[in-house]
Amino acid sequence: MKTVARKLRRDGRSIGFVPTMGALHEGHLSLIRRAQQMADTVIVSIFVNPIQFGPSEDFEVYPRDLARDAELIANKGVDYLFAPNIDEMYPEDFVTYVATEGLDKRLCGSSRPGHFRGVTTIVNKLFNVIAPDYAFFGQKDAQQTIIIRRMVRDLCMDTEVVVCPTVRESDGLALSSRNQYLSPEERQAARVLSRSLQLCRQLYQEGERQVSKLITAIRELIEKEPLARIDYVAIADVDSLEFLVELDEEDPALVALAVFVGTTRLIDNLILKPETES
Ligand code: AMP
C-alpha cells in the first residue's frame, strides 16, 4: 500500500482516506462519498484493530465479512482497499504507541481503558502508510474525532481531518456495526438513545442551560427503558472534553452517552450550539 500511495502522490493525485473496521453500512458509505467529492483517489482501510478492544470486549465476535465489504466498496467506485493482517500491523515485538494523554481517559475512555490509545496508534500507523491529504471520520464517534484532531495537530501531521454527520435509521438509531448484535426487542429499546438526545435538544431550545437538569432528563428517560443500562451520560467541552456545569451562549457543548442495551454497548451524541444544532 505504501508504494501505491507514494506513486499516487508523485503523480499529483490527492488522497482521501476512510479508516474502518469493516461490516460496512450506510454510515461508512457516507464518509466514502464525501471522500470522493474531496479527493482524486479514495482509499478505504478495513482492519479490526485488536489493541483498541479491552480483554472482555467483542474483538473475537466483531462482525467480519471482507468479501462482502470489498464488493460493496468496489461497486461504489473506491479506488483502493487496504486490509492488512494483524501481524503486518503488530509484529511480535511491537512496543510503540501514541496517546492523547488526558483526553483518552474521559467519557468512553473511563469505561474502556486503553481504547483510545489503540485508536490513535492504529490511525497514526495507517496515516504513515497512506499519508492521506484528507481523512474522514464520523461524528457518531465524537470523542474519537476530537482525539484524532488533537493528535494531528500535536504531531504536526499533514492530513486534514474531515468529520461527517451521523447517519441514522429512520427511527433515529445511529447506524453501527454493533447494531447487528441486537435482538428485535433490544433494537426497539435502542431507540431510547436518540430519543433522549432529542429531548435534551428540545429542553436546550426551550432555554435550559443547567447541565444537571439536562443530564437528569436524559437519564430519567433512559431509565424507563427496562432493557437499557446507562454507562455514562455527560455534557462536555468540545475541545477539552471537560465536564461542563452550565452552558453559555457562545460555546458549543458535546452531549455524549453510552448505554448498554442488553449486553451491547451503544454510543450516541449531540452538539448543542446556541443558534443551530446538529
Ligand atoms: P468503525 O468501522 O465503526 O470503526 O467506523 C469507521 C468510521 O465510520 C468512523 O469514523 C466512524 O465514526 C464512522 N461511522 C460509524 N458509524 C457511523 C454513522 N452512523 N454515521 C457516520 N459515520 C459513522
Side-chain angles (χ1 to χ4, degrees):
M1 190 75 242
K2 210 165 190 161
T3 325
V4 170
R6 210 179 278 139
K7 172 147 183 10
L8 287 167
R9 272 194 307 284
R10 219 180 304 122
D11 294 345
R13 292 178 66 78
S14 62
I15 300 178
F17 175 46
V18 182
T20 82
M21 297 205 300
L24 301 179
H25 52 63
E26 202 40 56
H28 300 113
L29 297 183
S30 73
L31 306 189
I32 291 171
R33 280 193 294 274
R34 185 75 175 275
Q36 288 171 327
Q37 286 161 6
M38 289 183 67
D40 299 325
T41 308
V42 173
I43 302 177
V44 172
S45 68
I46 295 182
F47 181 65
V48 185
N49 176 34
I51 69 164
Q52 73 185 65
F53 289 78
S56 59
E57 293 184 355
D58 56 344
F59 174 69
E60 296 298 337
V61 297
Y62 194 84
R64 292 167 173 87
D65 191 344
L66 189 56
R68 171 221 173 242
D69 287 344
E71 193 184 335
L72 179 65
I73 61 175
N75 289 336
K76 299 292 176 191
V78 167
D79 301 283
Y80 296 95
L81 167 62
F82 180 44
N85 58 39
I86 292 184
D87 307 340
E88 227 177 303
M89 286 287 118
Y90 301 112
E92 239 172 60
D93 54 354
F94 182 88
V95 288
T96 309
Y97 296 85
V98 176
T100 45
E101 290 185 359
L103 288 184
D104 60 357
K105 308 278 183 309
R106 297 184 165 277
L107 308 183
C108 284
S110 68
S111 22
R112 304 188 69 190
H115 169 70
F116 287 110
R117 185 179 84 140
V119 170
T120 42
T121 300
I122 191 64
V123 171
N124 202 303
K125 287 171 67 75
L126 293 167
F127 280 13
N128 285 336
V129 173
I130 291 166
D133 297 277
Y134 310 99
F136 299 82
F137 295 88
Q139 177 62 28
K140 153 89 186 344
D141 298 273
Q143 185 173 7
Q144 174 168 280
T145 66
I146 291 163
I147 283 179
I148 302 273
R149 273 192 201 286
R150 185 72 70 89
M151 174 186 81
V152 164
R153 191 207 66 184
D154 285 355
L155 300 182
C156 308
M157 295 174 148
D158 199 11
T159 294
E160 184 182 326
V161 173
V162 181
V163 177
C164 304
T166 302
V167 177
R168 298 175 181 280
E169 302 278 8
S170 54
D171 65 2
L173 178 66
L175 297 191
S176 163
S177 308
R178 291 191 167 98
N179 292 350
Q180 295 184 24
Y181 300 150
L182 301 171
S183 70
E185 296 74 30
E186 290 167 348
R187 170 64 188 80
Q188 288 303 303
R191 291 181 305 173
V192 78
L193 279 83
S194 59
R195 280 179 42 225
S196 71
L197 291 173
Q198 279 163 22
L199 172 65
C200 176
R201 170 151 56 197
Q202 186 194 325
L203 295 172
Y204 180 83
Q205 284 170 343
E206 288 166 8
E208 185 56 75
R209 294 292 182 269
Q210 290 287 329
V211 164
S212 59
K213 295 224 174 99
L214 294 169
I215 289 184
T216 302
I218 293 174
R219 294 190 78 99
E220 282 179 357
L221 187 68
I222 298 173
E223 280 160 6
K224 281 194 201 136
E225 172 48 65
L227 295 178
R229 179 171 57 82
I230 294 171
D231 180 13
Y232 74 83
V233 178
I235 301 190
D237 180 84
V238 294
D239 293 314
S240 67
L241 293 175
E242 275 168 27
F243 295 137
L244 298 171
V245 176
E246 190 159 349
L247 305 181
D248 64 36
E249 292 308 318
E250 272 105 66
D251 299 319
L254 170 68
V255 185
L257 44 85
V259 175
F260 286 94
V261 179
T263 55
T264 304
R265 184 176 177 281
L266 301 176
I267 58 172
D268 202 347
N269 70 87
L270 160 75
I271 303 282
L272 294 176
K273 293 186 215 142
E275 316 81 1
T276 53
E277 68 290 315
S278 63

